[in-house]
Amino acid sequence: MIRVVINGYGNLGRGVEQAVSKTEDMEVAVVLTRRDPAGVTTLGAPVAHLDDAADWADKADVCINCGGSATDLIEQTPAAAALFHTVDSFDTHARIPEHFAAVDAAAQAAGHLTLISAGWDPGLFSMLRVLGDAVLPDGETTTFWGPGVSQGHSDALRRIDGVLDAKQYTLPVASAVEQAKTGSAAGLTTREKHTRECYVVAAEGADRAAIEAEIKAMPYYFADYDTTVTFVTAEELAAGHSGIPHGGQVIRRGATSEGVHATIGFELALGSNPEFTGAVLVAVARAVVRMAERGEVGARTVFDVTLADLSPRSPEELRASFL
Amino acid sequence: MIRVVINGYGNLGRGVEQAVSKTEDMEVAVVLTRRDPAGVTTLGAPVAHLDDAADWADKADVCINCGGSATDLIEQTPAAAALFHTVDSFDTHARIPEHFAAVDAAAQAAGHLTLISAGWDPGLFSMLRVLGDAVLPDGETTTFWGPGVSQGHSDALRRIDGVLDAKQYTLPVASAVEQAKTGSAAGLTTREKHTRECYVVAAEGADRAAIEAEIKAMPYYFADYDTTVTFVTAEELAAGHSGIPHGGQVIRRGATSEGVHATIGFELALGSNPEFTGAVLVAVARAVVRMAERGEVGARTVFDVTLADLSPRSPEELRASFL
């Protein structure tokens, strides 16, 4: 059995625990937390304080860093790489080279293997972007996100005066998706590719028109998009918008010869964003353990992983039943 | 530059030559043929007789075997593996373990690396089947083929008395695809998943009703499907049905926790089946050269390849721009 450390127990850590429970070759060794372990209730995994992480170095095969934000992971992953082979879902695109270098140094120093930026984007979507580019070099890749909840945009809504709670959905524009599949989406503007839907609980007596205007004018977050604002009660928000669904599509369209085209489409529809991200992290953790057993050391990404290493099945079974 | 041997110059060999021309890091060293080289016209690549293959062993980095049928490849790939690192698109699923063993023995003896069964199915579809199974172990995978031309079924139509020419299209049933994405397709019969459309040129005076009845009753090929037969003239067949489009979908739907589901969909829409297959073979050939440079020897499949090795780009560029 592959013994997994879950480092951090928010939505993602819980998703990882669920995902491990779906495997037959992996088990959770411990959940590490910065909180009082006595106050953390898991699905069954033991809980320890992060300060005692070193106690688990010999009792686990891989550590999945589930820090709640990219800022957490910038610190958490290099620290964990000193003790464990690790995986994380670092998703601040602009800082990936910096994070990769820091994690590589920590892992090399400790003789560990650490894979960063796994999940679905970055992660599976990244894999498909590279695949599309490699197979159809004369082409164009378009990524669409949604339908799904954007946590950052929902947070931005909640910071507005008079807003008690809110949820924001990003939706791809169907005609833009069709255009990416059958022609070129290169000329499409931000506004033409995605729309944003906001469900907002306003305080009693708040100026709803002012709130709506403030949302729609918010630079970067909403101003560049066709945004709809719907005011709901706290009960309606809880009843209809409690999930964390997400998804999206990576579309590669290219020419295989003059006037002859091919389209590669990859689509995710996820009932729970953190649970699916957790599921990807768990499969990648399996690969990391196998790669580390072969002596690999340092930092890696999903581009360095084979499907054989991601799978719990033997090479013979994969060739006989999946090829 | 990676120097490529194209072994066989039918539709697939031509597709490989087109695909190499789309790359910046690869070139065709030679096209090998069993025919008289003087009678083979390429897009520009030199042509030599297969009997002289050994002359190219030191002048090429990888050989792509483009035998016209799985029967060809059973012989062609082990023979080529004695001289070159190789790639093929062997697609007789039941004989893959046998082919893998034979090719592995030949490659090991010669110190070469050889990757079998690349293309899109087997190939990219196989990769997605393994990915879906690894990420969502509690789930179900469904593969749909088409819309596209089935060469084997078109050949079967042409063998019927009174049929001069014919083309057969396989089409997925849209409601079945939807069912695979949102529920379970496990209970669907063969008939419920795909339909078959036949465009047939009948000889003058042939009994069309008898031809149609014979087609629809043909066991394995058509009897298990809802099949439509449309009689067309030779001119109509040439004008409307000269392409070799194909495609399909691999759908994985699974539970990430009790009652919460995720769907992974992968879809191909190919203007030219052999050109796209050629494009996959070329990307895989690049990976084989790199893996061989690291000392790998023997037989491999697409499950053993990383995306970094498939891509012409540097790891730094992939991390900065594709992750």
Side-chain angles (χ1 to χ4, degrees):
Chain A
M1 295 292 273
I2 294 173
R3 300 161 302 171
V4 176
V5 174
I6 300 177
N7 190 4
Y9 201 69
N11 284 335
L12 181 55
R14 282 190 290 272
V16 167
E17 191 181 15
Q18 285 279 9
V20 170
S21 77
K22 297 283 189 189
T23 68
E24 291 178 1
D25 60 335
M26 303 174 79
E27 63 190 8
V28 179
V30 69
V31 168
L32 296 176
T33 178
R34 285 178 293 200
R35 292 176 272 165
D36 174 3
V40 175
T41 306
T42 67
L43 294 178
V47 184
H49 198 278
L50 180 60
D51 290 347
D52 299 323
D55 296 348
W56 298 89
D58 294 333
K59 297 175 195 146
D61 301 297
V62 62
C63 173
I64 302 180
N65 296 313
C66 300
S69 76
T71 327
D72 284 347
L73 293 172
I74 279 275
E75 308 270 331
Q76 192 183 62
T77 301
L83 297 171
F84 306 101
H85 306 305
T86 74
V87 179
D88 78 20
S89 61
F90 187 79
D91 67 356
T92 307
H93 283 82
R95 297 185 71 184
I96 284 175
E98 168 198 349
H99 187 54
F100 184 88
V103 163
D104 189 52
Q108 296 275 3
H112 287 138
L113 184 68
T114 176
L115 191 148
I116 67 159
S117 300
W120 60 274
D121 195 3
L124 301 192
F125 272 21
S126 320
M127 294 168 73
L128 268 289
R129 285 190 285 262
V130 172
L131 182 68
D133 177 67
V135 170
L136 296 174
D138 180 10
E140 177 187 310
T141 301
T142 316
T143 303
F144 293 95
W145 293 273
V149 171
S150 166
Q151 212 58 54
H153 287 74
S154 299
D155 291 344
L157 295 176
R158 289 189 205 102
R159 286 192 294 266
I160 294 172
D161 271 349
V163 171
L164 298 180
D165 201 357
K167 203 110 178 203
Q168 194 271 171
Y169 296 89
T170 303
L171 294 95
V173 175
S175 60
V177 173
E178 193 54 28
Q179 201 170 322
K181 285 184 177 177
T182 59
S184 168
L188 294 178
T189 62
T190 298
R191 187 178 299 277
E192 289 167 330
K193 288 174 65 185
H194 295 91
T195 56
R196 298 198 180 276
E197 290 181 3
C198 308
Y199 293 85
V200 175
V201 181
E204 214 181 301
D207 181 344
R208 294 184 173 199
I211 290 173
E212 180 166 344
E214 183 173 344
I215 292 171
K216 291 184 173 177
M218 205 182 288
Y220 177 67
Y221 282 94
F222 296 105
D224 294 339
Y225 300 85
D226 287 340
T227 301
T228 57
V229 178
T230 305
F231 289 95
V232 295
T233 64
E235 294 69 30
E236 286 167 341
L237 196 75
H241 305 279
S242 63
I244 318 176
H246 219 313
Q249 300 181 55
V250 175
I251 296 164
R252 178 75 178 181
R253 184 167 193 268
T256 52
S257 67
E258 185 68 30
V260 180
H261 293 87
T263 300
I264 303 174
F266 181 72
E267 183 170 9
L268 296 174
L270 314 173
S272 165
N273 184 353
E275 285 182 8
F276 187 79
T277 302
V280 175
L281 288 170
V282 165
V284 169
R286 175 187 293 120
V288 162
V289 170
R290 292 171 172 181
M291 294 159 75
E293 279 171 357
R294 295 195 298 266
E296 293 196 39
V297 167
R300 296 288 187 280
T301 71
V302 286
F303 304 145
D304 304 307
V305 173
T306 67
L307 289 152
D309 278 337
L310 288 176
S311 174
R313 301 181 194 271
S314 71
E316 293 73 20
E317 183 181 4
L318 291 179
R319 288 197 295 273
S321 305
F322 288 74
L323 199 59
Chain B
M1 296 291 273
I2 294 173
R3 301 162 299 172
V4 175
V5 174
I6 299 177
N7 190 5
Y9 201 69
N11 283 336
L12 182 56
R14 281 190 291 272
V16 167
E17 191 181 15
Q18 287 277 9
V20 170
S21 76
K22 296 284 189 188
T23 69
E24 291 177 2
D25 60 335
M26 302 174 79
E27 64 190 7
V28 178
V30 69
V31 167
L32 297 176
T33 177
R34 283 178 295 199
R35 293 176 272 167
D36 175 3
V40 174
T41 305
T42 67
L43 295 177
V47 184
H49 197 279
L50 180 60
D51 290 348
D52 300 322
D55 296 349
W56 298 88
D58 294 332
K59 298 174 195 147
D61 301 297
V62 61
C63 174
I64 301 180
N65 297 313
C66 301
S69 75
T71 328
D72 285 347
L73 294 172
I74 279 276
E75 308 270 331
Q76 193 183 61
T77 301
L83 297 171
F84 306 101
H85 306 304
T86 75
V87 179
D88 78 21
S89 61
F90 187 79
D91 67 355
T92 308
H93 283 82
R95 296 185 71 184
I96 283 175
E98 170 198 347
H99 186 55
F100 185 87
V103 163
D104 189 52
Q108 296 273 4
H112 286 138
L113 184 67
T114 177
L115 191 149
I116 67 159
S117 302
W120 60 274
D121 195 4
L124 302 192
F125 272 20
S126 319
M127 293 167 73
L128 267 289
R129 284 190 285 262
V130 172
L131 182 67
D133 178 67
V135 170
L136 296 174
D138 180 10
E140 177 187 310
T141 300
T142 315
T143 303
F144 293 95
W145 293 275
V149 172
S150 165
Q151 213 56 54
H153 287 74
S154 299
D155 290 344
L157 294 176
R158 289 189 205 101
R159 285 192 294 267
I160 293 173
D161 271 349
V163 171
L164 298 181
D165 200 358
K167 204 109 178 204
Q168 194 272 169
Y169 296 89
T170 303
L171 295 97
V173 175
S175 61
V177 172
E178 193 54 30
Q179 201 169 322
K181 285 184 175 174
T182 59
S184 169
L188 294 178
T189 62
T190 298
R191 186 178 300 276
E192 288 167 333
K193 288 174 65 184
H194 294 92
T195 56
R196 298 197 180 276
E197 289 181 3
C198 308
Y199 293 85
V200 176
V201 181
E204 215 181 301
D207 181 345
R208 294 183 171 200
I211 290 172
E212 181 167 343
E214 183 172 345
I215 292 171
K216 291 185 173 178
M218 206 182 289
Y220 177 66
Y221 282 94
F222 295 105
D224 293 339
Y225 299 85
D226 286 340
T227 301
T228 57
V229 178
T230 305
F231 289 95
V232 295
T233 65
E235 294 70 30
E236 287 168 340
L237 196 76
H241 305 279
S242 64
I244 318 178
H246 219 311
Q249 300 181 57
V250 175
I251 296 164
R252 178 74 178 184
R253 184 167 193 269
T256 52
S257 67
E258 185 69 31
V260 180
H261 293 87
T263 300
I264 304 174
F266 181 72
E267 183 169 9
L268 296 174
L270 314 172
S272 165
N273 184 352
E275 285 181 8
F276 187 79
T277 302
V280 176
L281 287 170
V282 166
V284 169
R286 174 186 294 118
V288 162
V289 170
R290 292 171 172 182
M291 294 159 75
E293 279 171 357
R294 295 196 298 267
E296 293 197 38
V297 167
R300 297 288 187 279
T301 71
V302 287
F303 304 145
D304 304 307
V305 173
T306 67
L307 289 151
D309 278 336
L310 288 176
S311 173
R313 301 180 193 272
S314 72
E316 292 73 20
E317 183 181 3
L318 290 179
R319 288 196 296 269
S321 304
F322 287 75
L323 198 59

